[in-house]
Amino acid sequence: MSFPGSGLAKGLAVTLRTMTKRSVTAQYPDVQPDLPPRTRGVIGLFEENCTVCMLCARECPDWCIYIDSHKETVPPAAPGGRERSRNVLDRFAIDFALCMYCGICIEVCPFDALFWSPEFEYAETDIRELTHERDKLREWMWTVPEPPALDPNAEEPKEIAAARKAADKLAAQQAAEAEDRAGAEASTQDQDQDQDRQRPETPGEGT
């Protein structure tokens, strides 16, 4: 059962406990904050991996990603082959005034072209300057931290397990083929030796 004024007493108790503690002030910008490794600062673009599939722009709920491209014809790699066409990236921009940092574009990118960077010092005095082009996004790419090490007790990724299984199968097949070749060579040598032993000696041979 609470008595009148108990809430006020509790609030004052919290205030008194806080007053006796020493305040801790982060001396920013002289001292940079220690950010967590998965901080959602800005989005970096690894342009070489981008295939202009437009998946990130289509899945963005804010429609803040702008992509322009054109098609180029690639000559055949071998004589008699067919020409191919590929998309060439002309513009990749993100309007961070609209971006809500949901990370959907990074998750849906099938070619690992977008990454989270912990960079956060990109404030502008004009909101129109918050639309950053691909050159700036590429600069932020080099501030992306390395991925954390895998848990030693974690399950091996399916891609690596499949690649390891294929490599082991190929190695076993090559070892079996090498063993078959060695057996065939040994059998041939035995046959040659048997033929030499069975061949009659001619007069004067061995003298």
Side-chain angles (χ1 to χ4, degrees):
M1 182 177 180
S2 61
F3 56 90
S6 60
L8 178 61
K10 291 179 181 179
L12 291 175
V14 173
T15 302
L16 291 174
R17 286 198 304 269
T18 305
M19 289 176 60
T20 57
K21 294 181 180 179
R22 183 178 179 181
S23 62
V24 179
T25 304
Q27 302 298 329
Y28 177 83
D30 297 329
V31 178
Q32 292 292 321
D34 186 14
L35 300 174
R38 299 184 66 181
T39 299
R40 295 189 176 189
V42 290
I43 299 173
L45 171 66
F46 192 52
E47 187 176 333
E48 286 77 5
N49 284 358
C50 182
T51 61
V52 200
C53 65
M54 304 294 292
L55 190 59
C56 57
R58 290 198 302 266
E59 296 296 331
C60 177
D62 295 329
W63 292 87
C64 64
I65 301 177
Y66 312 112
I67 300 176
D68 292 331
S69 65
H70 69 277
K71 289 186 177 294
E72 286 186 356
T73 301
V74 180
R82 296 177 57 185
E83 294 183 345
R84 297 182 298 108
S85 63
R86 66 184 182 94
N87 290 322
V88 179
L89 184 66
D90 293 329
R91 185 193 183 202
F92 194 108
I94 299 178
D95 186 356
F96 286 97
L98 295 177
C99 178
M100 65 179 184
Y101 304 89
C102 63
I104 292 178
C105 57
I106 298 176
E107 295 296 330
V108 301
C109 179
F111 302 104
D112 291 335
L114 299 174
F115 297 86
W116 277 119
S117 166
E119 180 65 38
F120 63 94
E121 297 177 318
Y122 58 97
E124 301 288 347
T125 57
D126 190 348
I127 193 173
R128 291 172 295 182
E129 299 297 328
L130 285 174
T131 300
H132 294 289
E133 302 292 335
R134 65 177 183 176
D135 294 337
K136 188 64 176 179
L137 301 179
R138 185 180 180 84
E139 290 180 12
W140 283 331
M141 180 62 208
W142 311 125
T143 64
V144 174
E146 295 183 1
L150 297 177
D151 188 346
N153 297 324
E155 182 181 354
E156 188 177 39
K158 295 180 180 179
E159 296 83 356
I160 298 179
R164 189 187 308 278
K165 184 177 180 180
D168 293 342
K169 183 177 180 181
L170 179 61
Q173 182 179 358
Q174 292 176 348
E177 291 176 355
E179 186 176 354
D180 293 341
R181 286 196 300 269
E185 291 176 358
S187 177
T188 302
Q189 291 177 358
D190 293 340
Q191 292 177 1
D192 293 341
Q193 291 177 359
D194 292 341
Q195 290 177 0
D196 292 340
R197 286 195 296 267
Q198 295 174 3
R199 186 172 56 188
E201 295 184 358
T202 57
E205 185 178 3
T207 57

